[in-house]
Amino acid sequence: MAKKRASITDLAEQLNIAASTVSRALNGHSAISEATTKRVLALAKELGYQPNNMAAGLRRGRSNMLGVVVPHIDGNFFSQVVKGIEASASKAGYHVLICQSNEDVVHERQNVETLLNAQVDGILVSLSRTTREFKHFEKVRKRDVPIVFFDRILEGYDVNAVVLDDRAGGYRATKHLLTQGYQRIAHFAGPQHLNIYKHRRQGYEEALREHGLPVDEELILFCDMKMQDGIVGTKQLLALPQPPDAIFSASDFTAAGALQVLKERGLQVPADMALVGFSNELFSRLTEPMLTSIDQHCEAMGHSATRLLLQIMKEQGQHFAPRHIVLQPELCMRASSLHQHQVELSYKKK
Amino acid sequence: MAKKRASITDLAEQLNIAASTVSRALNGHSAISEATTKRVLALAKELGYQPNNMAAGLRRGRSNMLGVVVPHIDGNFFSQVVKGIEASASKAGYHVLICQSNEDVVHERQNVETLLNAQVDGILVSLSRTTREFKHFEKVRKRDVPIVFFDRILEGYDVNAVVLDDRAGGYRATKHLLTQGYQRIAHFAGPQHLNIYKHRRQGYEEALREHGLPVDEELILFCDMKMQDGIVGTKQLLALPQPPDAIFSASDFTAAGALQVLKERGLQVPADMALVGFSNELFSRLTEPMLTSIDQHCEAMGHSATRLLLQIMKEQGQHFAPRHIVLQPELCMRASSLHQHQVELSYKKK
DNA sequence: AAACATTGGGCAAAAGTTTACGCAGCTATT
DNA sequence: AATAGCTGCGTAAACTTTTGCCCAATGTTT
């Protein structure tokens, strides 16, 4: 059955005018008399005319699509960022094409190729964990396709990016623990070639130094940020001659692992050991005690990155200096790091 | 700078052959001599030729894109389904266009329009919570665009769908509680116009009846499945003259709310009250005690729905009877519903 | 009255690909 | 020797929209 879609020329024929006139009337372009415009719009509505995007795209060289490459789309952080991206993009009349790199730089390269191939008008990328170089983005630059990186970036390259102030996040988390009176604070650190984990650690160290405390290498455990790593790491910390009295974990998952071990050992949180995580995962309000964490404003990051991309697309050709937007994280204090009498101070309703 | 992309005609000119020959050589289509094909491929590689998808799409009337409409893309369930969809689609050479309805039927209607407009070759939809009729999908049928619904569907319409056997899920959860010796089992039920919640309740009632127990209306609480609803509902249940000894919640969130209240009141889980949730959210392994739940195999659902859609697309024109694929949920027994000496039996590593 | 500007809209090319059709030139069959 | 069939490739149309250019008609100025 499949009714043939009405095309611009169909309208033109029925109205005895030229297709170009119809096109201009529909786009409110050049000066077309109001009478003609009205006739065109009326018939368009009657026939249920829908512009053919591919034809328009072909002609204009634009597709009205934005491409997004994320390490994976499940999980709290990226799904929320993508939510923000989709919302902003669709408001601006753009579609969103989503690819997952699966934390694999090879996939990432393919994804980028794929998106260029699909002729997206702009690209948003958060790097995979295994990405250590930038070659595969050269083509993007050569094709002059605007690109904005978010959250995970490679340092030393001048690119447009929206990132979180992870250093401030690490600093605030640690400072909070210090303010609460904890003195020997351990840190679960992630892969240091990723800006985000490096900065969280730097913020941690900065807070310690500012407080006149030494940075004890023994208390910094590098791992992959899985829950299991938190379990192993915590056992390791507890086996130290002088165990810490608090842990600042660069991920809520490792913090959850820690919590589990501590409970098993009959240790009280936060009395015997305080915990602060990072990311403000959904479950951080569901643990017992509730987990203090750093909120990343994921959705805002999606919006921000999209806005930046759209702006750069508008400026095409003018090539301003790459811009960095830095978002501020927020400390969500909860029971896992608060001394007894205090309650949850910053309750962020989602 | 923006290097002009090499087109098929550029190749043709340089090789002194017709564009059509190049096209056929690239697509390995009709009989083109091996020698010519090789020459074409060589030059294509040299010039970095990338086919122009919009032109091809325009000509063929296909876009190589699948559209997806979900209520929202954050949260455990949908982000995982989408992950599955994206993976399957990209393996088959399709891109994925994602829209969020924000649980709003008005948005949903727009999303569908938008996708038709973008000329997607097929559509995957999970209905918004506020969708109670099907009008906005008529256009899809008229245009003969294949469509597959997943998880949330409207009953009484003959459509292609991939759903979970929610009834079996509800049945197994309740049966499990009964097997564990619980006798008075309450149920947090979701909006009943949605198939998923209705079926979960039906499964619950079926298990009760099968066990010779009455269905006590007093013990079934209808709500919106937020954590807050679980908190309110549990208080209500505890205030009954004869409170239940177990709750089967149609969502992990309400179950988490329940858990919180029970702890506050000093009640033991599962000794005083057992809990079973639904969805196997990430956090269900992080609560104390760990929450028994029903896993929905979200990613598998994404794969399954995509496969079905692709198959229907292949059969275009032949119009077979609508197909329903029913996936089986899995009970993940954990401490919140197991009598003391038992441990987690089915540990599903994610 | 002639020159000019403005308005409204048509013509045709262009974007890059696919494909039905056809045409040579050759081999094989009758 | 004539017909048929195959191989390899070219021609041209088609898909739909946009846009630079042009033209006619009307209105305005000198």
Side-chain angles (χ1 to χ4, degrees):
Chain A
M1 270 15 31
K3 267 185 198 166
K4 292 258 310 169
R5 289 174 53 158
S7 80
I8 215 172
T9 51
D10 295 336
L11 297 196
E13 267 177 32
Q14 291 200 33
L15 292 173
N16 274 324
I17 56 179
S20 54
T21 307
V22 177
S23 170
R24 284 189 266 248
L26 290 172
N27 296 321
H29 222 333
S30 164
I32 297 290
S33 74
E34 223 172 292
T36 318
T37 304
K38 258 188 199 153
R39 287 206 306 149
V40 171
L41 291 180
L43 187 63
K45 184 171 267 177
E46 191 192 325
L47 298 188
Y49 169 76
Q50 296 290 126
N52 183 324
N53 266 301
M54 290 190 295
L58 174 60
R59 181 64 237 260
R60 295 192 140 126
R62 311 194 297 109
S63 62
N64 272 303
M65 294 193 303
L66 302 183
V68 177
V69 182
V70 285
H72 41 82
I73 202 200
D74 55 339
N76 198 47
F77 179 73
F78 286 115
S79 67
Q80 286 204 52
V81 176
V82 168
K83 182 194 184 90
I85 291 174
E86 199 277 334
S88 281
S90 102
K91 199 173 293 175
Y94 283 87
H95 295 293
V96 174
L97 229 48
I98 293 187
C99 302
Q100 306 179 70
S101 66
N102 292 314
E103 299 281 12
D104 178 1
V105 67
V106 178
H107 256 93
E108 188 174 280
R109 187 196 326 281
Q110 288 172 352
N111 291 155
V112 172
E113 283 279 354
T114 298
L115 290 178
L116 286 178
N117 221 278
Q119 271 140 92
V120 295
D121 298 336
I123 299 183
L124 290 159
V125 180
S126 195
L127 296 177
S128 94
R129 184 164 291 192
T130 52
T131 301
R132 288 165 187 264
E133 39 84 25
F134 240 65
K135 268 186 294 190
H136 47 308
F137 295 110
E138 275 312 303
K139 289 177 202 170
V140 179
R141 196 165 303 187
K142 270 188 194 141
R143 286 262 181 78
D144 246 5
V145 175
I147 186 168
V148 168
F149 294 84
F150 64 92
D151 196 51
R152 299 202 202 156
I153 63 175
L154 228 45
E155 294 181 301
Y157 293 85
D158 243 7
V159 295
N160 293 291
V162 176
V163 293
L164 189 77
D165 192 342
D166 285 285
R167 188 181 183 113
Y171 177 85
R172 276 174 217 172
T174 311
K175 175 96 174 180
H176 162 65
L177 286 168
L178 290 166
T179 308
Q180 292 291 311
Y182 298 98
Q183 293 281 338
R184 196 162 157 72
I185 304 172
H187 177 46
F188 289 154
Q192 297 292 300
H193 71 279
L194 288 178
N195 57 316
I196 55 175
Y197 294 121
K198 190 170 80 186
H199 291 161
R200 288 173 200 177
R201 179 179 57 75
Q202 289 175 344
Y204 156 79
E205 294 183 358
E206 190 181 331
L208 288 185
R209 268 195 295 272
E210 194 182 290
H211 225 254
L213 290 174
V215 173
D216 189 342
E217 294 298 334
E218 189 175 63
L219 294 180
I220 303 182
L221 269 51
F222 296 95
C223 62
D224 237 31
M225 303 277 97
K226 311 259 182 220
M227 185 169 159
Q228 188 57 34
D229 298 316
I231 293 175
V232 173
T234 306
K235 286 178 183 167
Q236 199 174 322
L237 288 174
L238 289 174
L240 287 178
Q242 204 188 342
D245 59 0
I247 303 175
F248 161 49
S249 165
S251 148
D252 279 349
F253 288 94
T254 33
L259 185 57
Q260 206 167 296
V261 171
L262 294 172
K263 278 186 191 169
E264 262 172 41
R265 302 272 173 109
L267 293 169
Q268 295 298 312
V269 175
D272 298 320
M273 176 103 70
L275 284 178
V276 174
F278 208 109
S279 286
N280 199 19
E281 295 280 342
L282 210 57
F283 67 77
S284 58
R285 266 188 301 276
L286 294 169
T287 53
E288 174 56 35
M290 292 199 270
L291 185 62
T292 294
S293 193
I294 300 285
D295 190 274
Q296 303 173 276
H297 301 311
C298 329
E299 225 174 305
M301 184 176 285
H303 284 117
S304 188
T306 310
R307 268 203 309 274
L308 178 55
L309 179 62
L310 291 173
Q311 192 182 332
I312 292 169
M313 283 163 52
K314 231 187 250 165
E315 299 165 357
Q316 252 322 38
Q318 301 184 51
H319 290 298
F320 293 99
R323 264 151 291 184
H324 268 232
I325 293 180
V326 179
L327 303 177
Q328 284 305 312
E330 184 185 352
L331 177 66
C332 298
M333 292 184 246
R334 303 204 185 91
S336 76
S337 67
L338 292 176
H339 269 158
Q340 290 72 348
H341 59 286
Q342 294 174 288
V343 292
E344 179 162 352
L345 297 178
S346 156
Y347 183 84
K348 228 181 120 260
K349 185 128 188 348
K350 170 52 236 267
Chain B
M1 274 1 41
K3 267 186 198 168
K4 292 257 313 168
R5 290 175 53 158
S7 82
I8 215 172
T9 50
D10 294 336
L11 298 196
E13 267 177 32
Q14 290 201 33
L15 293 173
N16 274 322
I17 56 179
S20 56
T21 306
V22 177
S23 170
R24 283 189 269 246
L26 291 171
N27 296 323
H29 223 332
S30 164
I32 297 289
S33 75
E34 222 172 293
T36 317
T37 304
K38 257 189 200 151
R39 287 206 306 149
V40 170
L41 291 181
L43 187 63
K45 183 172 269 177
E46 190 192 326
L47 298 188
Y49 169 77
Q50 296 290 126
N52 182 323
N53 266 301
M54 291 190 294
L58 174 60
R59 177 64 236 259
R60 295 190 140 128
R62 311 194 297 108
S63 63
N64 272 301
M65 294 193 302
L66 303 183
V68 177
V69 182
V70 285
H72 41 81
I73 203 202
D74 54 340
N76 197 46
F77 179 73
F78 286 114
S79 67
Q80 285 204 52
V81 176
V82 168
K83 180 194 184 90
I85 292 174
E86 199 276 334
S88 282
S90 100
K91 200 173 292 175
Y94 283 88
H95 295 292
V96 173
L97 229 48
I98 294 187
C99 302
Q100 306 178 72
S101 67
N102 292 313
E103 299 282 12
D104 178 1
V105 67
V106 178
H107 255 94
E108 188 174 281
R109 187 196 326 280
Q110 289 172 351
N111 291 154
V112 171
E113 284 279 355
T114 298
L115 290 178
L116 286 178
N117 221 278
Q119 269 138 94
V120 295
D121 299 335
I123 299 183
L124 291 160
V125 182
S126 196
L127 296 177
S128 94
R129 183 164 291 193
T130 53
T131 302
R132 288 164 186 265
E133 39 84 26
F134 240 65
K135 267 186 293 188
H136 46 310
F137 295 110
E138 275 311 303
K139 290 177 201 169
V140 180
R141 196 165 303 188
K142 270 188 194 142
R143 288 262 180 78
D144 246 6
V145 175
I147 185 166
V148 167
F149 294 83
F150 64 93
D151 195 52
R152 298 203 204 155
I153 63 176
L154 228 47
E155 294 181 300
Y157 293 85
D158 243 8
V159 294
N160 292 291
V162 175
V163 293
L164 189 77
D165 191 342
D166 284 286
R167 189 181 182 113
Y171 176 83
R172 276 174 217 172
T174 312
K175 176 96 175 178
H176 162 65
L177 286 169
L178 291 166
T179 308
Q180 292 290 311
Y182 297 97
Q183 293 281 340
R184 194 162 159 73
I185 303 173
H187 176 45
F188 289 154
Q192 296 292 300
H193 70 280
L194 288 179
N195 56 317
I196 55 174
Y197 295 120
K198 190 169 80 187
H199 291 161
R200 288 173 199 178
R201 180 179 57 75
Q202 289 175 343
Y204 156 80
E205 294 184 357
E206 190 181 331
L208 288 185
R209 270 195 295 271
E210 195 183 290
H211 225 253
L213 290 173
V215 174
D216 188 342
E217 294 298 335
E218 190 175 62
L219 294 181
I220 302 184
L221 269 51
F222 297 94
C223 62
D224 238 30
M225 303 277 97
K226 311 259 183 222
M227 185 168 159
Q228 188 57 34
D229 297 316
I231 293 174
V232 174
T234 306
K235 287 179 182 167
Q236 200 174 324
L237 288 173
L238 289 175
L240 287 177
Q242 204 188 344
D245 59 0
I247 303 174
F248 161 48
S249 164
S251 148
D252 279 348
F253 288 94
T254 34
L259 186 56
Q260 204 166 297
V261 172
L262 294 171
K263 276 187 193 169
E264 262 172 42
R265 303 270 174 111
L267 293 169
Q268 295 297 314
V269 175
D272 298 320
M273 175 101 71
L275 284 178
V276 174
F278 207 110
S279 285
N280 200 19
E281 295 280 343
L282 210 57
F283 67 78
S284 59
R285 267 189 301 276
L286 293 170
T287 54
E288 173 57 34
M290 293 199 270
L291 185 63
T292 294
S293 193
I294 301 284
D295 190 274
Q296 302 174 277
H297 301 310
C298 329
E299 226 175 304
M301 182 176 286
H303 284 117
S304 188
T306 309
R307 270 203 309 273
L308 178 56
L309 179 61
L310 291 173
Q311 192 182 332
I312 293 169
M313 283 164 51
K314 233 188 247 165
E315 300 165 358
Q316 252 322 38
Q318 301 183 50
H319 289 300
F320 293 99
R323 265 152 290 186
H324 267 232
I325 293 181
V326 179
L327 302 178
Q328 285 306 311
E330 183 185 351
L331 178 64
C332 298
M333 292 184 244
R334 303 207 185 88
S336 75
S337 67
L338 291 175
H339 269 161
Q340 291 73 348
H341 59 287
Q342 294 173 288
V343 291
E344 179 162 354
L345 296 180
S346 154
Y347 183 83
K348 231 184 116 260
K349 184 129 188 348
K350 173 47 241 260

